[in-house]
Amino acid sequence: MSNELAFLPFTKPTIDEDMIAAVADVMRSGWLTSGPKVQELEAKLSELFGGRPVRTFNSGTCTMEIALRIAGIGPGDEVITTPNSWVATANVIIEVGATPVFADIDPKTHNIDLNKLEAAITPRTKAVIPVHMCGLPCDMDHLYAIAEKYKLRVIEDAAQAIGSTWKGKRIGSFGDFASFSFQVNKNIMTGEGGCLVLNNAEEARLAEKYRLQGVSRQGLDGIDVDVLGGKYNMTDMAAAIGLGQLKRLEEFNGKRKALAQHYFDTFGADFEALSGAELPVADFENSNWHMFHVVLPENVNRGDFMQKMLDVKIGLGYHYRAIHLFTLYRERGFKEGMFPVAERVGKQIVTLPLFPSMTNADVERVVSAVKSCLL
């Protein structure tokens, strides 16, 4: 038997036999697109979020776009968000015809700096899209105090935050809109998919229209279209996976938390001082530990570092390059130097492996390899 170590990816979904069987049952039923499983998943998610209305979609991107549309955001409006996110967070603002405005990030949490957010508000500002980076929530008290002061809608990009909490309350169970992703690397997944937590039945009905061509039906043969919708519905096959994943949410998040704690223990209290690297905020109360980030020292080339880790069969990610430095956003007037914290973090951040089926030995292997590169 070979003693050669297997490749360790930075993320990997946990799929059990019950989930596989559930998808097979859906396929045998003949009802493959949106149907009873979607309705069941929405009901279970509503329970998770304290009874608030929830609608599922085929991505966690369209959820944010639809929230903006429900809020009436469009041309002439500004929406403030963070430059430290997947580009979808800003793209949806452009999609609805509004103007994206960025505020720099906090150097420790990597979430939007709420003081800089407030400073960016103008008379045209109508909404804010904060991101709960790696499942670590923004300061929700401060965020919603700003929103109330300036009468702003909040669309929480909670793509990474299912199961995260703020002062004992589950993210999504309070506040304004909350958008979650079920893409394959998230804490629970449907392959591709997402959900939007809404405020009332009227918003939920409008969300249903936007996700399926603006259609509403009455009786057996009554149909109308009164808004411009798209094709964003979730399939029953995806929902079947989601139901199986949702049953294991607390288990998955508990394992992630334990692995994250082992990362800190294995790196040791002196790692940052010795290496010049930065570890994440050690929040074991609110975060669901979606990812474990390390910001490399300025003198380390990230590409070279990632290659050295790959040479020992450890896969890394980087989340994220600063959005405003992409060509699409440079063409809108954004420039290097505008958001220096996000730029520094975006240039030097790496995502270490973290997923429920990992072992403590895997963590120790990763830490040993990181230290051999940096110390």
Side-chain angles (χ1 to χ4, degrees):
M1 182 182 292
S2 172
N3 292 322
E4 188 175 344
L5 291 170
F7 177 72
L8 183 67
F10 90 88
T11 189
K12 180 181 178 183
T14 299
I15 303 170
D16 60 35
E17 291 302 318
D18 286 345
M19 295 174 204
I20 294 170
V23 173
D25 287 344
V26 169
M27 295 183 76
R28 292 188 190 99
S29 77
W31 196 318
L32 306 187
T33 186
S34 303
K37 290 299 179 184
V38 165
Q39 292 175 2
E40 184 181 350
L41 179 58
E42 289 177 344
K44 294 289 187 185
L45 289 167
S46 180
E47 290 177 20
L48 184 73
F49 298 124
R52 299 182 70 192
V54 179
R55 294 296 179 267
T56 55
F57 297 83
N58 60 12
S59 79
T61 298
C62 65
T63 46
M64 293 186 288
E65 179 182 335
I66 288 168
L68 288 168
R69 294 190 186 281
I70 292 171
I73 308 299
D77 298 331
E78 292 177 351
V79 179
I80 302 173
T81 192
T82 168
N84 180 41
S85 183
W86 181 230
V87 69
T89 307
N91 281 356
V92 295
I93 300 169
I94 300 174
E95 284 283 354
V96 301
T99 301
V101 174
F102 295 110
D104 211 347
I105 62 171
D106 180 274
K108 292 298 292 181
T109 67
H110 301 165
N111 286 329
I112 193 167
D113 185 324
L114 294 174
N115 292 318
K116 291 177 180 174
L117 182 156
E118 186 167 14
I121 293 171
T122 76
R124 293 175 59 195
T125 307
K126 296 296 186 295
V128 56
I129 305 180
V131 176
H132 303 309
M133 181 55 61
C134 299
L136 178 65
C138 299
D139 183 327
M140 298 291 276
D141 297 338
H142 190 182
L143 170 67
Y144 277 95
I146 293 170
E148 183 176 357
K149 179 179 178 181
Y150 295 96
K151 303 294 185 276
L152 305 178
R153 297 303 301 265
V154 178
I155 297 97
E156 295 174 40
D157 183 344
Q160 303 174 5
I162 194 157
S164 298
T165 59
W166 176 258
K167 295 185 176 179
K169 294 189 294 184
R170 197 181 294 275
I171 294 298
S173 68
F174 65 102
D176 200 352
F177 298 105
S179 164
F180 294 87
S181 172
F182 302 140
Q183 191 265 347
V184 71
N185 72 0
K186 299 302 187 290
N187 289 37
I188 63 170
M189 64 91 191
T190 59
E192 295 285 358
C195 76
L196 182 62
V197 184
L198 302 119
N199 294 289
N200 51 55
E202 182 181 353
E203 287 185 349
R205 283 192 294 271
L206 191 49
E208 291 171 7
K209 291 181 184 180
Y210 278 123
R211 78 178 171 185
L212 198 57
Q213 307 298 354
V215 167
S216 57
R217 296 182 183 275
Q218 307 82 33
L220 290 176
D221 64 348
I223 187 170
D224 192 18
V225 174
D226 60 355
V227 298
L228 180 61
K231 186 70 168 66
Y232 304 127
N233 57 302
M234 177 180 282
T235 69
D236 259 27
M237 290 183 288
I241 299 170
L243 285 162
Q245 292 268 311
L246 188 57
K247 289 178 184 176
R248 300 185 65 180
L249 173 62
E250 298 305 321
E251 173 197 345
F252 289 167
N253 283 355
K255 187 65 189 295
R256 286 174 176 275
K257 182 180 290 189
L259 290 166
Q261 183 63 68
H262 197 55
Y263 263 122
F264 283 106
D265 293 343
T266 309
F267 273 118
D270 59 353
F271 171 73
E272 290 180 306
L274 292 174
S275 68
E278 300 169 25
L279 296 177
V281 175
D283 183 313
F284 289 93
E285 180 180 354
N286 296 307
S287 180
N288 68 359
W289 287 100
H290 171 60
M291 291 189 288
F292 194 102
H293 280 165
V294 173
V295 181
L296 300 172
E298 292 284 344
N299 64 345
V300 173
N301 180 282
R302 181 171 61 189
D304 292 343
F305 175 84
M306 293 178 75
Q307 184 60 57
K308 289 177 182 177
M309 296 291 284
L310 201 55
D311 290 343
V312 292
K313 296 189 175 180
I314 297 172
L316 304 180
Y318 61 94
H319 302 83
Y320 297 92
R321 186 185 178 197
I323 295 172
H324 69 286
L325 299 182
F326 289 126
T327 299
L328 177 66
Y329 288 85
R330 288 180 184 268
E331 289 174 348
R332 299 178 73 88
F334 294 104
K335 300 174 184 176
E336 205 156 346
M338 295 179 78
F339 309 105
V341 182
E343 290 169 25
R344 179 183 68 83
V345 169
K347 181 172 176 285
Q348 294 300 107
I349 202 160
V350 291
T351 309
L352 304 187
L354 181 62
F355 51 89
S357 59
M358 278 178 64
T359 64
N360 282 352
D362 291 328
V363 170
E364 292 156 16
R365 176 184 164 194
V366 174
V367 172
S368 176
V370 170
K371 287 183 173 180
S372 71
C373 291
L374 297 183
L375 298 181

